[in-house]
Amino acid sequence: MVPTQRIDLATIVKAYDVRGLAPEQLDETAAHALGAAAADVLGVAGRTGQAGGTLVIGHDMRPTSPLLVDAFARGVNDRGGDVLVIGLCSTDGLYFASGHLNAPGAMFTASHNPAAYNGIKMCFAGAKPVGTGTGLDDVRILAQQYLDSGELPTAAARGTRSDRPLLAEYAAHLRSLVDLSGSRPLKVVVDAGNGMAGLTAPAVLGTEAGLPALPLDVVPMYFELDGTFPNHEANPLEPANLVDLQKAVVEHGADIGLAFDGDADRVFVVDERGEPVSPSAVTAMVALRELAKTPGATVLHNLICSRAVPEQITAAGGVPVRTRVGHSFIKAEMARTGAVFGGEHSAHFYFKDFWGADTGMLAAMHVLAALGEQDGALSALVADFDPYTASGEINSTVTDVAGTTAAVRETWVARGGVVDTMDGLTISSPEGESPKWWFNLRPSNTEPLLRLNAEGEDAATMERVRDEVLAQVRGGAS
């Protein structure tokens, strides 16, 4: 990796993590400074006369990850903090390490971004989130000071580094949360997208970690760890990246297909017909399983999830709580409300018994358990959880985000629409109108985009609302 001439951390430190081109924006020099700053902010730096604490570091399969990890670890060590490097892991594997060891952590990954990118997700001890307003700004400011001054104050006693894989312990922990041993035999196609699920799926769903065999016939797709993503991008949110899995499920006569993103903290589900299962349906399904264990508990769902989710939670005796989009909001609400589970439309799923962190593999295990406990097909099982028609997220580039949003609001309020401004603009159908509908229009945090999600009681209603809003957003007639 070749250091850049001028490093401006403001260009790569985002709302929830560090993300940028490597090494053009994120190189060893930047990683070293970020590691030193993280040691201070996350509480592992040595103080006068005191030893430092331990910070856990994991990384994905991207070619630039090992060098960045080494540089970051040196920065922590320079500030007197010890480092435990757990090596290749999924992001939820790093969260497991942080929770299991009660230590802050740093995961080197750019998730679903293309191969040219890398990044860092950080957490406090117990997998508590680090983001804007919860420490990430402090890390950026301090690291920038180190870079600009060319000076990094070293501790009186330098920290140490040790290496220890935790994959087997991670797999055993997930197995302890969902018992799949009594499932009927299932054929499962797993598309790892050359990402970290190629390591974790054989350990959790198979016997690679030394655990007993499960009644699962796993058909592997793209399990070879390759950060250049030679087959398709590891971003199942894009329909094109699901095509191979959909074909394979049908060709193998499988019961279910699972697709993971690059760092395997998200999972997408495909039914036996090769049709995608809505993340909202997965949220509702897992919510009911968690409520069966903890009756009357609180379950979170972000405001883009289908209205079927809070309806199902309420019907099961749970307490649905609606949140803004984004893991920092979900995790903060989980801590505040004591929720047992939370789901997002983007296929992030959060569990109280996993330190409130998101884990795609645990969500996948819940779906496998629900499917394996009964004799029907997955498509029939999820039908009750997905009664409405959704548009999916549609992005539009606009020159005046605020003005366009205000115009849309004025138009739909004049028609009696019910307004909610928790996160962007949500308009729901007037009280008593049938068929019911709603839409949400949110600005991007980083681009001049408006993101539209719409839902209706039937396809015609959703399409009408979707098309009218898009026409106004994109400059057409309302």
Side-chain angles (χ1 to χ4, degrees), residues 43-57:
V44 301
R47 308 301 178 190
T48 303
Q50 298 179 356
T54 299
L55 187 143
V56 183
I57 306 177

Side-chain angles (χ1 to χ4, degrees), residues 322-368:
R322 188 165 168 264
T323 78
R324 296 180 64 183
V325 174
H327 77 89
S328 63
F329 301 114
I330 288 270
K331 290 177 179 178
E333 278 295 285
M334 289 198 79
R336 186 185 69 82
T337 62
V340 295
F341 172 67
E344 293 201 86
H345 74 297
S346 56
H348 282 284
F349 304 104
Y350 307 79
F351 296 84
K352 183 176 183 178
D353 53 12
F354 197 77
W355 299 279
D358 43 328
T359 162
M361 188 61 72
L362 184 53
M365 294 172 72
H366 273 286
V367 176
L368 290 171

Side-chain angles (χ1 to χ4, degrees), residues 28-296:
E28 290 174 275
T29 302
H32 181 249
L34 286 164
D40 286 292
V41 175
L42 303 186
V44 301
R47 308 301 178 190
T48 303
Q50 298 179 356
T54 299
L55 187 143
V56 183
I57 306 177
H59 66 86
D60 68 9
M61 64 292 139
R62 292 170 186 269
T64 55
S65 288
L67 285 174
L68 292 173
V69 166
D70 290 346
F72 189 93
R74 288 197 303 273
V76 177
N77 289 161
D78 286 344
R79 296 295 298 125
D82 295 333
V83 166
L84 173 63
V85 178
I86 63 174
L88 285 165
C89 67
S90 57
T91 289
D92 64 327
L94 187 278
Y95 292 150
F96 164 76
S98 175
H100 181 61
L101 302 174
N102 195 33
M107 174 68 186
F108 279 79
T109 180
S111 185
H112 61 275
N113 280 84
Y117 287 79
N118 213 321
I120 316 169
K121 296 180 179 180
M122 302 181 204
C123 60
F124 289 104
K128 292 181 175 61
V130 172
T132 297
T134 54
L136 191 55
D137 291 329
D138 298 328
V139 171
R140 174 182 58 80
I141 292 168
L142 190 55
Q144 192 70 61
Q145 291 175 1
Y146 292 156
L147 289 169
D148 292 345
S149 68
E151 297 180 2
L152 192 157
T154 56
R158 197 169 188 277
T160 64
R161 170 175 171 159
S162 56
D163 293 75
R164 171 190 165 195
L166 290 176
L167 180 62
E169 292 162 82
Y170 158 82
H173 180 69
L174 292 185
R175 288 273 194 105
S176 74
L177 298 177
V178 178
D179 184 7
L180 289 167
S181 62
S183 169
R184 65 182 168 95
L186 296 174
K187 179 172 283 191
V188 186
V189 182
V190 178
D191 183 351
N194 299 109
M196 291 314 305
L199 179 74
T200 59
V204 178
L205 304 180
T207 58
E208 290 297 314
L211 298 174
L214 296 172
L216 305 175
D217 177 9
V218 176
V219 180
M221 290 185 66
Y222 313 140
F223 273 26
E224 302 80 16
L225 301 183
D226 189 339
T228 67
F229 306 115
N231 295 289
H232 61 71
E233 287 187 1
N235 180 17
L237 193 60
E238 292 294 333
N241 298 324
L242 281 178
V243 170
D244 290 354
L245 175 63
Q246 292 172 287
K247 290 180 180 177
V249 166
V250 174
E251 289 173 358
H252 288 277
D255 298 289
I256 184 174
L258 303 172
F260 293 87
D261 66 345
D263 60 338
D265 62 348
R266 291 188 294 159
V267 66
F268 290 76
V269 180
V270 168
D271 69 20
E272 79 287 351
R273 306 166 303 170
E275 294 296 323
V277 176
S278 160
S280 288
V282 174
T283 295
M285 179 189 297
V286 178
L288 266 56
R289 290 179 55 82
E290 291 291 340
L291 287 170
K293 294 191 298 184
T294 313

Side-chain angles (χ1 to χ4, degrees), residues 8 16 49 79 97 108 116 150 200 205 245 265-266 306 309 394 398-399 420 452:
D8 181 4
Y16 312 125
R79 296 295 298 125
F108 279 79
T200 59
L205 304 180
L245 175 63
D265 62 348
R266 291 188 294 159
S306 169
V309 174
I394 305 170
V398 296
T399 55
D420 182 334
L452 172 67

Side-chain angles (χ1 to χ4, degrees), residues 13-29:
V13 178
K14 311 297 184 181
Y16 312 125
D17 58 16
V18 179
R19 197 83 60 97
L21 293 167
E24 293 85 353
Q25 296 173 299
L26 177 60
D27 63 9
E28 290 174 275
T29 302

